[in-house]
Amino acid sequence: MAECKNLELHIAMFPWFAVGHMTPFLHLSNEIAKRGHKITFILPKKAQIQLQHLNLHPNFITFHPLTIPHVDGLPLGAETASDISISLVHLLAIAMDRTREQVENIFRAKTPDIVFYDNAHWIPEIAKQLGIKSICYNVVSAASLAIAVVPARNVPKDRAITKEELKQLPVGYPSSTIVLRSHEVDSLSFISLPFGDGITFYDRVTTAMKESDVISIRTCQEMEGQLCDYMGNQFGKSVLLTGPVLPEPAKSPSKGMWATWLDGFEPGSMVFCAFGSQIILEKKQFQELLLGFELIGLPFLIALKPPMECATVEEALPNGFKERVKERGRVLGGWVEQPLILSHPSVGCFVSHCGFGSMWESLMSNCQIVLVPHLGDQILNTRLLVEEMKVAVEVEREDSGWFSRKSLSKAIKSVMDKDNEVGIMVKKNHAKWKDILASPNFMSGYMDKFVQNLQDLVLVNEKA
Ligand SMILES: O=c1ccn([C@@H]2O[C@H](COP(=O)(O)OP(=O)(O)O[C@H]3OC[C@@H](O)[C@H](O)[C@H]3O)[C@@H](O)[C@H]2O)c(=O)[nH]1
């Protein structure tokens, strides 16, 4: 157990109801629990079943399930963003807001010292009344926060933000490379749309940050230092960084259900593709992607949700695809154990949407990285990896947003061809960054300092 002051903390966690948010909150909980502190983790009932295997310290981390109220327009039983399409998530925010009384009752009963939250902008109001410190913990990149949800963005209250306004960077934004191209700015237009009852996404997130005692971001100074400083200046608050907070590899890892099949291929020859927990492609784009994989001539494993209007991936396969690729490729429509697959010696390339979780997992792997971002934050994460760190390549898209089988296969081949200059460069840079991120005290150093800061925060409270 890491050394720290003797003050034992009790922390409540209340992440947005999405796997890409609850999972990193749980990784953070594990790190805090490992240092001897108690966690009450508040989440939808169904999500508890999905996440409990990631709870590495059940003696310290207790799940507290919520009943998610039904909101008109959501499918019956929907509890997390993975249960619904992206177009409905604003309704899930209403459902989250309607759990306020349940959450307040938990706080009254459990009396935590600190609460971590992200999308629930009303948490600081409850916390202040009960003498609990509130930390707005962001599990997306500092870049995506700094470009979209800072006071300098000045989103109009009475109308939707225009494309021209979105093209302008917020005053003082510190990067000229981690930006959206002009045909991509629409991916941010959601910030002025409702997200919850009578509140826009922008107002929700900026309120969540303004009202907090501390802003925290799951990133590191080495990669996003300037952007984190900008966030601190914008909100006039200290910004605590947790570092990447990835789980330690299990001592005796299960090999996972795909290991035997993967074992049959040459080391580093397999290309793995997954687009996180939310992306659902249109059928034509899904088929184009598969045909791109067919073109590369390498073995592949694709784990994507069935495309729009299809119940299964099988019914969306291009004609004759299965017969042509035979044993060389598999297309799965369900959840796979991504971290285990990325660590398998046969897997040499990861084609990802660059969701923030997948971004860290790709950096910590030995795989070449090919990126096909979809949402605004994924595009910015991609720019960070491609333009700043030069550890990955991005698949070229047309202005319409469409990517072709040719552009996909070109990007994959560029990193899988051992003599390709770009492939050699990204591999070398990736290895350097991996050395930094995986060095013995890198992550634990961030966490020790972070937990120390939490204790100081509570001690100041007690002395006051
Ligand atoms: O089949 C799968 C797919 C995904 N996963 C895991 O699920 C997690 C996905 O998280 P990501 O952040 O990459 O992607 P998501 O799309 O789920 O995240 C969401 O929240 C974070 C934002 O940055 C993303 O833009 C948003 O889409 C990863 O830890 C990944 O290992 C699996 O284990 N199996």
Side-chain angles (χ1 to χ4, degrees), residues 302-358:
I302 299 175
L304 291 181
K305 292 188 171 218
M308 286 173 198
E309 284 148 30
C310 294
T312 63
V313 288
E314 279 73 29
E315 70 184 80
L317 297 181
N319 276 341
F321 177 80
K322 234 178 172 167
E323 294 70 29
R324 292 193 300 273
V325 300
K326 300 197 178 75
E327 265 304 287
R328 167 164 82 82
R330 295 266 166 100
V331 184
L332 314 171
W335 193 254
V336 295
E337 296 149 303
Q338 179 168 302
L340 281 184
I341 291 175
L342 290 178
S343 64
H344 192 285
S346 298
V347 180
C349 178
F350 181 27
V351 180
S352 135
H353 67 320
C354 212
F356 206 41
S358 298

Side-chain angles (χ1 to χ4, degrees), residues 268 270-272 342 347-352 361-363 365-371 385 390-393 411-431:
M270 165 73 58
V271 185
F272 171 60
L342 290 178
V347 180
C349 178
F350 181 27
V351 180
S352 135
E361 288 162 20
S362 63
L363 283 170
S365 77
N366 294 322
C367 297
Q368 292 283 56
I369 308 168
V370 174
L371 300 171
L385 263 55
K390 300 193 183 348
V391 296
V393 296
I412 299 176
K413 280 181 183 163
S414 77
V415 295
M416 291 304 271
D417 172 358
K418 296 207 167 33
D419 301 319
N420 184 296
E421 268 178 38
V422 174
I424 295 170
M425 184 225 10
V426 290
K427 194 179 184 100
K428 202 166 133 205
N429 291 335
H430 182 181

